């Protein structure tokens, strides 16, 4: 009877669910194209191995910055009647449960509130905010490669502009024609070799983001760099001094630096375009399978369950009390037991 009264007084709680499908990371179509460029193929293969989308997205939605945006968007401090942002986040964690299905890969966002409309809005707000967050982050394999190569391209473009300016300035001071410089010094071969070395160094830095030193592609690329550096050393030692004059030597060095930057930029642009193609094939980041709607029935409290549990608990306690009382009465029937009970009561009595 008491449980029935309590359940009737409890505020009903409604649950709204949103089911989303995170991006399905696929094998990059650039992997085969990268194979023609040597160890760069390891970028696609290595990045593809780092996949745990459900745990990653759940971690995003449980981060403080994400929850702060949800709190600000829905003014949860006032709604939950909390004084601090920390207390509001704790209340939000208890009100929203984010779980994943390992078999299907779907993520369920379940929000609870006294207002069914607000529960649905809260669950859907998680999807909106997650999309905004992913717009700022590089999550998938193609996005990570695209961001990396984009940053490298900007750096190389800046270096190339400086190298071209230095070459033009040095060429004017030296008074030599470019064709004459190339023909007399053989600097073209050295510049191309240095460009290959620089390009592979960029490839190695990119691959190091996804693989360790024991990775076969890393080891292969490292071996190629050692061989190319040995060839370059032999080429430059065999040619002796390229030119005798300091100004002419500066012109040759500037030309060589310019060719190196051009070779690196060519490799980076190819990989950047491949990453953009893969990114376009990945489709939308977050797809909503079931959008949360205002629930028609409450999820809490479950009155029937509470009443049944309380009834069985009351029955068990009643039987236990009856057994204990019967045992006490039986023990007091003999004079010796009654005397012991009187002594025990006297010891427990307050003086």
């Amino acid at each position: 009877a008491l449980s029935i009264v309590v359940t009737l007084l409890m505020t009903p709680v409604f649950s709204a669910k949103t089911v989303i499908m995170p991006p399905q990371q696929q094998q990059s179509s650039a992997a085969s194209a990268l194979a023609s460029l040597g160890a760069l193929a390891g970028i696609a293969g290595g990045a593809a191995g780092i996949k745990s989308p459900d745990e990653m997205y759940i971690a995003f939605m449980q981060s403080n910055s994400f929850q702060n945006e949800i709190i600000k968007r829905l003014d949860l401090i006032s709604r939950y009647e909390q004084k601090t942002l920390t207390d509001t986040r704790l209340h939000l964690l208890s009100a929203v449960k984010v779980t994943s299905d390992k078999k299907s890969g779907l993520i369920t966002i379940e929000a609870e509130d006294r207002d069914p409309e607000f529960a649905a809005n809260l669950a859907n707000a998680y999807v909106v905010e997650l999309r905004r967050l992913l717009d700022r982050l590089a999550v998938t394999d193609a996005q990570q490669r695209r961001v990396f190569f984009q940053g490298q391209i900007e750096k190389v473009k800046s270096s190339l502009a400086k190298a071209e300016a230095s070459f033009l300035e040095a060429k004017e001071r030296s008074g030599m024609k470019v064709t004459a410089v190339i023909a007399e010094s053989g600097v073209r071969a050295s510049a191309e070799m240095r460009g290959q070395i620089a390009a592979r160094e960029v490839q190695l830095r990119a691959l190091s983001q996804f693989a360790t030193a024991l990775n076969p592609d890393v080891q292969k690329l490292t071996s190629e760099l050692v061989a190319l550096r040995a060839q370059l050393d032999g080429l430059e030692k065999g040619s002796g001094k390229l030119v005798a004059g300091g100004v002419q030597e500066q012109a040759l060095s500037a030309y060589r630096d310019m060719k190196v930057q051009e070779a690196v930029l060519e490799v980076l642009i190819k990989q950047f375009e491949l990453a953009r193609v893969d990114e376009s094939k990945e489709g939308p980041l977050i797809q909503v399978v079931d959008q949360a709607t205002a629930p028609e029935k409450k999820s809490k409290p479950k009155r029937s369950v509470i009443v049944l549990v309380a009834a069985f608990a009351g029955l068990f306690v009643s039987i236990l009390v009856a057994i204990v009382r019967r045992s006490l009465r039986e023990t007091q029937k003999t004079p010796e037991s009654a005397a012991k009970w009187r002594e025990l009561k006297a010891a427990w009595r307050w003086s």
Side-chain angles (χ1 to χ4, degrees):
L2 182 61
S3 64
I4 293 175
V5 174
V6 171
T7 54
L8 290 175
L9 295 176
M10 293 176 66
T11 303
V13 177
F14 298 86
S15 298
K17 292 183 181 180
T18 292
V19 181
I20 62 175
M21 182 175 67
Q24 302 301 306
Q25 299 222 33
Q26 54 190 343
Q27 180 65 32
S28 172
S29 62
S32 57
L34 286 173
S36 62
L37 295 170
L40 265 179
I43 296 177
I50 304 178
K51 296 177 184 175
S52 184
D54 48 353
E55 288 90 352
M56 181 174 61
Y57 294 123
I58 291 175
F60 286 161
M61 288 183 279
Q62 292 178 344
S63 63
N64 288 345
S65 58
F66 183 93
Q67 292 180 344
N68 289 344
E69 292 298 326
I70 294 292
I71 292 171
K72 186 186 302 183
R73 176 188 293 268
L74 300 177
D75 193 18
L76 296 182
I77 293 181
S78 300
R79 182 171 185 84
Y80 292 155
E81 298 178 352
Q82 302 293 331
K83 296 181 179 180
T84 64
L85 195 60
T86 301
D87 293 337
T88 309
R89 284 200 301 264
L90 293 175
H91 196 289
L92 182 61
L93 283 173
S94 62
V96 180
K97 296 180 181 178
V98 184
T99 57
S100 64
D101 187 347
K102 299 298 182 180
K103 293 183 179 180
S104 64
L106 300 178
I107 297 176
T108 301
I109 304 171
E110 183 178 0
E112 296 180 346
D113 196 82
R114 295 168 294 181
D115 183 4
E117 290 288 344
F118 186 84
N121 293 336
L122 179 58
N124 292 326
Y126 265 67
V127 180
V128 175
E129 188 59 36
L130 182 60
R131 283 174 171 164
R132 289 183 57 189
L133 177 64
L134 295 181
D135 286 341
R136 298 186 290 106
L137 300 178
V139 177
T140 62
D141 166 32
Q143 286 178 322
Q144 292 173 3
R145 288 189 291 113
R146 189 257 304 163
V147 170
F148 173 79
F149 287 120
Q150 187 175 9
Q152 294 297 317
I153 286 173
E154 295 299 325
K155 293 179 182 179
V156 174
K157 281 183 177 180
S158 177
S159 300
L160 178 59
K162 294 179 181 178
E164 289 176 344
S166 299
F167 172 65
L168 292 175
E169 181 181 354
K171 186 184 71 170
E172 291 177 359
R173 289 202 310 266
S174 65
M176 297 176 62
K177 294 183 179 180
V178 179
T179 55
V181 172
I182 297 173
E184 294 177 6
S185 64
V187 73
R188 178 187 293 275
S190 174
E192 291 179 351
M193 188 73 66
R194 287 180 177 273
Q196 294 179 22
I197 292 174
R200 280 168 171 76
E201 287 175 346
V202 172
Q203 297 169 14
L204 184 60
R205 289 200 301 270
L207 187 58
S208 299
Q209 293 188 353
F210 312 109
T212 64
L214 300 178
N215 185 281
D217 293 320
V218 174
Q219 294 177 349
K220 177 184 176 183
L221 191 54
T222 304
S223 301
E224 290 179 358
L225 279 172
V226 172
L228 287 173
R229 286 168 181 154
Q231 293 179 18
L232 177 64
D233 186 60
L235 178 65
E236 294 185 345
K237 285 183 178 179
S239 62
K241 290 186 177 180
L242 300 178
V243 287
V247 178
Q248 295 175 350
E249 187 175 357
Q250 290 178 4
L252 290 175
S253 178
Y255 174 81
R256 184 174 54 196
D257 292 341
M258 183 180 67
K259 288 299 180 182
V260 168
Q261 298 301 327
E262 287 178 352
V264 174
L265 183 62
E266 182 180 358
V267 173
L268 291 174
I269 290 176
K270 289 180 180 179
Q271 300 313 308
F272 176 72
E273 293 300 329
L274 288 172
R276 289 184 60 184
V277 171
D278 288 334
E279 188 178 9
S280 65
K281 292 180 180 179
E282 288 177 343
L285 282 178
I286 298 297
Q287 301 183 67
V288 179
V289 179
D290 285 332
Q291 188 172 7
T293 57
E296 298 177 351
K297 295 183 179 180
K298 63 179 178 60
S299 59
K300 295 179 182 179
K302 299 184 180 297
R303 292 192 175 94
S304 58
V305 176
I306 295 175
V307 171
L308 288 175
V309 171
F312 281 108
L315 179 62
F316 175 77
V317 172
S318 300
I319 293 174
L320 181 62
V321 170
I323 293 174
V324 172
R325 291 185 63 186
R326 180 178 175 83
S327 299
L328 291 176
R329 285 198 301 266
E330 292 294 332
T331 55
Q332 292 179 1
K333 289 182 179 180
T334 60
E336 294 179 358
S337 298
K340 289 181 179 180
W341 273 109
R342 285 194 298 270
E343 292 177 0
L344 186 60
K345 289 180 181 181
W348 285 353
R349 187 178 301 145
W350 291 94
S351 57

